[in-house]
C-alpha cells in the first residue's frame, strides 16, 4: 500500500470478477460476423464505412441504442425533467477533459469552440428549467494514442442532467435510477438483439437487485497500490486503474471525493473537507469503466473566479458565464452519462466505434 493512504476493505468489491468485454475467438458466435471479417474489423479500428453500416452487429447495437434513449427520456420526463436542445458551439466550453482539447471554429471572425461538454450552459439554464436534460453531442480532440483503448471517440453523445437545489447524493441517486431503468427496459424490450450480440442478461443481475456501493477516491488509490499499480493520489484514476477496479466488481459502483485540482473549476469543494470535491464517477462492472461523471456545482461568483485561476484558466474567456454567476447561479448538482459507453456496456462489445454508426477515432481520418 502507498504510505499515508488508509484502506477500507469493506468497500465495493464483491465476488469473482465477471467476464469483461469479449475479444478474438468468440467474435463470430457473438455477432454473426465471420472470423475473416473480424480480423479486419477488430477493436483497434473500424472497417470500411459502408461495410460497417451494413453489419448485423451494428444494426443490433443501434436497436439497443434506440431503446436505451427511449427509456432514458421516458424515465427523466417521468421525474419532471424537461429536455432542451444543447448548443453546438460557443465562445468557451468545458476545459476539464482528460488530455482532450476543444476544436476551434471561425464564427464570423471570432474563435469559438465546439462543445466538449455543455455543462456551463446547463448551469445557466437552471433559472428557467430547474430540472433539465440534454442528449448532447460533444467533440473532444483526444490524443491519438487513445484510439486503441476501445473507450474513446472524437465525436460522442452524453445524456446530460442538471438539478437545481440538489446535492451530490441526489444526483447519484438519479444516475443510479436512470441506469437501472435503462438496463431493465433494454433487457425486456430487445432480448433478441442482446442474444445476437452474445450478451447474457445475467450479467446485469446484481445491478438490478442490489444498491451501488461507494468507494472514496483515497481508498480506490490504496486498492490500486495494494494491487501493485502506481496511482497518483492527487489525480483522477488512470484508465488502467479504472479498468482494474471495474473488473473486480459485480455491479456498478461510485468513486467519490476526487481531490481538488483533479477536476474542473465547477466541481464544488467540500466545505467540511477542504481539498476534497463533492463529485463522483459511476463505474460499470466487468471492465467497462466510467459511465457517468458528476458533481455538486460551485455557484458562488468569487469562488468560481478563484478556482478558475487556480486551475490555470483565464476568467476573461468565460465572460458570459461569469456574468450569469455574478447575477446568481442556482445551487445545483448534475452529471453526464456517456451514451456510447452506455450502449457498449449494454451490448458487451469491445469498443465504442462498434456501437457508433459514424465513428471518428482519435488520430484517424474518417468521413
Amino acid at each position: 500500500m502507498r504510505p499515508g493512504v488508509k484502506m477500507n476493505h469493506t468497500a465495493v468489491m464483491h465476488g469473482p470478477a465477471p467476464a469483461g468485454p469479449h475479444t478474438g475467438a468468440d467474435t463470430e458466435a457473438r455477432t454473426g460476423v465471420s472470423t475473416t471479417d473480424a480480423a479486419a474489423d477488430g477493436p483497434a479500428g473500424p472497417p470500411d464505412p459502408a461495410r460497417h453500416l451494413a453489419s448485423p452487429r451494428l444494426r443490433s447495437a443501434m436497436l439497443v441504442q434506440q431503446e436505451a434513449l427511449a427509456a432514458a427520456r421516458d424515465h427523466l420526463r417521468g421525474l419532471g425533467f424537461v429536455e432542451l436542445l444543447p448548443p453546438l458551439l460557443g465562445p468557451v466550453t468545458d476545459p476539464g477533459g482528460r488530455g482532450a482539447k476543444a476544436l476551434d471554429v471561425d464564427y464570423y471572425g471570432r474563435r469559438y469552440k465546439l462543445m466538449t461538454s455543455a455543462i456551463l450552459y446547463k448551469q445557466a439554464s437552471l433559472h428557467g428549467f430547474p430540472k433539465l436534460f440534454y442528449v448532447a453531442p460533444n467533440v473532444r480532440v483526444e490524443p491519438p494514442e487513445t484510439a486503441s483503448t476501445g473507450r474513446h471517440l472524437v465525436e460522442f453523445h452524453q445524456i446530460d442532467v442538471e438539478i437545481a437545489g440538489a446535492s451530490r447524493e441526489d444526483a447519484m441517486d438519479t444516475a443510479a435510477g436512470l441506469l437501472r431503468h435503462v438496463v431493465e427496459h433494454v433487457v425486456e424490450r430487445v432480448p433478441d438483439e442482446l442474444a445476437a450480440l452474445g450478451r447474457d442478461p445475467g450479467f446485469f443481475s446484481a445491478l438490478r437487485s442490489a444498491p451501488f456501493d461507494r468507494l472514496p477516491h483515497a481508498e480506490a488509490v490504496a486498492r490500486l497500490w495494494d494491487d501493485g499499480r502506481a496511482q497518483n493520489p492527487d489525480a483522477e484514476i488512470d484508465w488502467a486503474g479504472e479498468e482494474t477496479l471495474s473488473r473486480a466488481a459485480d455491479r456498478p459502483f461510485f468513486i467519490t471525493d476526487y481531490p481538488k485540482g483533479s477536476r474542473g473549476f465547477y466541481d464544488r469543494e467540500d466545505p467540511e473537507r477542504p481539498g476534497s470535491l463533492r463529485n463522483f464517477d459511476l463505474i460499470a462492472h466487468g471492465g467497462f469503466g466510467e459511465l457517468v461523471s458528476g458533481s455538486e456545482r460551485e455557484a458562488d461568483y468569487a469562488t468560481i473566479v478563484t478556482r478558475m485561476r487556480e486551475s490555470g484558466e483565464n476568467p476573461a474567456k468565460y465572460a458570459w458565464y461569469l456574468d450569469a454567476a455574478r447575477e446568481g447561479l442556482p445551487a445545483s448538482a448534475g452529471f453526464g452519462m456517456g451514451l456510447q459507453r452506455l450502449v457498449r456496456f449494454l451490448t458487451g462489445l469491445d469498443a465504442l466505434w462498434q456501437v457508433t454508426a459514424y465513428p471518428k477515432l482519435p488520430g484517424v481520418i474518417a468521413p
Side-chain angles (χ1 to χ4, degrees), residues 25-41:
D26 63 345
T27 301
E28 184 169 3
R30 181 164 47 85
T31 65
V33 178
S34 73
T35 52
T36 301
D37 287 344
D41 184 8

Side-chain angles (χ1 to χ4, degrees), residues 2 26 32 55 100 153 169 205 245 347 359 362 366:
R2 189 180 190 277
D26 63 345
S55 73
L153 294 170
E169 285 67 31
S205 294
L245 296 171
T347 59

Side-chain angles (χ1 to χ4, degrees), residues 30-367:
R30 181 164 47 85
T31 65
V33 178
S34 73
T35 52
T36 301
D37 287 344
D41 184 8
D48 173 81
R51 186 158 64 88
H52 175 56
L53 287 167
S55 73
R57 177 181 60 196
L58 180 66
R59 176 176 172 76
S60 290
M62 292 299 93
L63 291 173
V64 170
Q65 176 179 280
Q66 175 176 261
E67 293 300 330
L69 280 171
R73 285 186 160 109
D74 286 348
H75 180 74
L76 290 170
R77 290 178 64 184
L79 294 175
F81 286 86
V82 175
E83 181 175 4
L84 301 182
L85 295 178
L88 299 178
L89 73 165
V92 70
T93 187
D94 174 13
R98 287 195 274 196
K101 297 180 180 179
L103 193 64
D104 291 335
V105 296
D106 185 330
Y107 184 67
Y108 299 102
R110 298 193 178 197
R111 190 170 73 175
Y112 266 42
K113 307 284 187 182
L114 294 183
M115 289 295 109
T116 62
S117 164
I119 182 172
L120 306 182
Y121 290 89
K122 287 197 302 180
Q123 281 187 276
S125 300
L126 288 170
H127 285 296
F129 303 92
K131 296 177 74 173
L132 67 93
F133 75 98
Y134 304 140
V135 178
N138 295 278
V139 176
R140 296 183 186 177
V141 184
E142 300 279 359
E145 58 268 22
T146 64
S148 62
T149 65
R151 298 168 45 84
H152 295 83
L153 294 170
V154 174
E155 291 182 349
F156 65 99
H157 294 76
Q158 287 192 143
I159 303 170
D160 250 323
V161 175
E162 200 71 15
I163 315 165
S167 67
R168 173 180 65 179
E169 285 67 31
D170 294 329
M172 291 167 69
D173 288 346
T174 303
L178 175 60
L179 179 60
R180 279 200 187 91
H181 180 80
V182 168
V183 167
E184 290 173 354
H185 178 92
V186 166
V187 167
E188 292 169 6
R189 289 295 296 269
V190 285
D192 291 347
E193 303 304 335
L194 295 179
L197 295 167
R199 185 45 126 186
D200 179 1
F203 178 78
F204 304 111
S205 294
L207 178 158
R208 301 172 73 181
S209 61
F212 299 170
D213 288 317
R214 300 184 184 188
L215 183 67
H217 179 273
E219 293 183 19
V221 169
R223 187 178 294 275
L224 291 170
W225 276 90
D226 280 354
D227 194 49
R229 295 184 177 275
Q231 168 63 49
N232 183 347
D234 299 320
E236 292 186 299
I237 305 298
D238 62 33
W239 301 118
E242 188 180 285
E243 183 180 14
T244 295
L245 296 171
S246 174
R247 286 191 180 279
D250 70 348
R251 62 184 182 272
F253 63 94
F254 291 103
I255 298 178
T256 62
D257 306 312
Y258 284 78
K260 183 181 178 181
S262 66
R263 290 286 176 91
F265 59 78
Y266 40 76
D267 281 13
R268 182 170 178 252
E269 186 174 6
D270 191 331
E272 297 181 0
R273 299 174 61 233
S276 178
L277 299 173
R278 295 275 297 164
N279 63 3
F280 65 90
D281 281 351
L282 179 56
I283 308 297
H285 62 294
F288 289 89
E290 178 199 321
L291 292 181
V292 174
S293 187
S295 72
E296 284 181 17
R297 313 304 189 190
E298 184 54 67
D300 177 70
Y301 170 79
T303 305
I304 292 172
V305 172
T306 298
R307 291 283 303 281
M308 283 180 176
R309 289 173 174 155
E310 288 174 347
S311 64
E313 290 293 319
N314 177 6
K317 295 194 309 181
Y318 295 86
W320 76 266
Y321 173 73
L322 289 175
D323 286 345
R326 189 183 292 108
E327 294 172 6
L329 289 172
S332 69
F335 61 86
M337 176 181 285
L339 176 60
Q340 283 80 7
R341 289 186 178 183
L342 172 63
V343 177
R344 181 185 172 223
F345 173 65
L346 292 167
T347 59
L349 291 174
D350 300 304
L352 293 184
W353 72 261
Q354 293 171 324
V355 298
T356 306
Y358 311 102
K360 289 185 173 61
L361 284 163
V364 179
I365 304 302

